[in-house]
Amino acid sequence: SCDQSVRHIWSTLLHNRWNVFVGAEEYVTWEIAPGQLADGSIVDIWGRTSDVNWAMPGSGAPCTSTARPGRWRSFPYLAELEGAEGEALWGYLCDEWDREQQADLYPERKLVKYNFFMLQADVLPNMAFSATRKRLIHAHECIKVNTSMENPTINATRNDQEIEETEEVDNDPSGDSSRSEL
């Protein structure tokens, strides 16, 4: 179990180290994680913002996500972890959000669930970008929703809308957050 985690980490590190010897990437990737709070509002827990913005980060410049620097960049590559390790990995984002938002004092700010997406756009020969492709990496429930009416706040905000795993996203530079995908 621990060996598998170490293997994922070494694989990611080796990939990062050898990238200096290859040409420029032919695509740009970034992540977004729209989450639903107990009060029903939708936020971006990966970017730690109250607005969900599907637009390419960096004002349209060819770059990767600026939402989380450093070692956070390897987080999506650990998505294959399952069981207790996977729960710890994905549950950390729930705990982090709740801690930063002081959800123990403000229960309406408690994170109920989120979807973690990886978005990608090809770099075209004229340095423009193709339409953005979106892939669902993981769907996570932070609070196991009870179907009884013991906690009507959480039950009232539950949204079971189907989410397609791969689709094109409108690459609207205005960053319209109306498509929360939860």
Side-chain angles (χ1 to χ4, degrees), residues 40-162:
S41 60
I42 305 296
V43 296
D44 178 8
I45 67 163
W46 187 248
R48 298 180 179 137
T49 64
S50 58
D51 296 323
V52 177
N53 186 346
W54 295 91
M56 185 182 310
S59 303
C63 65
T64 55
S65 176
T66 56
R68 301 260 179 150
R71 293 182 180 173
W72 281 106
R73 297 293 300 138
S74 64
F75 191 90
Y77 298 104
L78 299 173
E80 296 173 2
L81 293 177
E82 295 179 2
E85 290 176 332
E87 182 62 32
L89 176 78
W90 297 107
Y92 181 82
L93 290 178
C94 301
D95 297 339
E96 177 189 55
W97 177 270
D98 289 348
R99 185 177 54 254
E100 290 177 357
Q101 300 298 314
Q102 299 179 329
D104 52 338
L105 297 174
Y106 307 101
E108 69 278 2
R109 300 293 298 162
K110 188 158 189 64
L111 185 60
V112 176
K113 64 182 177 177
Y114 69 90
N115 291 325
F116 192 93
F117 291 96
M118 182 175 284
L119 292 95
Q120 182 179 53
D122 296 327
V123 179
L124 302 174
N126 61 354
M127 290 306 293
F129 298 99
S130 69
T132 302
R133 293 179 304 282
K134 174 182 67 178
R135 185 168 59 111
L136 177 64
I137 301 296
H138 183 79
H140 192 81
E141 285 192 27
C142 303
I143 299 173
K144 302 305 178 208
V145 178
N146 188 347
T147 56
S148 73
M149 288 306 291
E150 292 173 14
N151 190 340
T153 304
I154 294 171
N155 288 320
T157 61
R158 187 167 185 198
N159 184 347
D160 292 326
Q161 181 180 26
E162 286 290 321

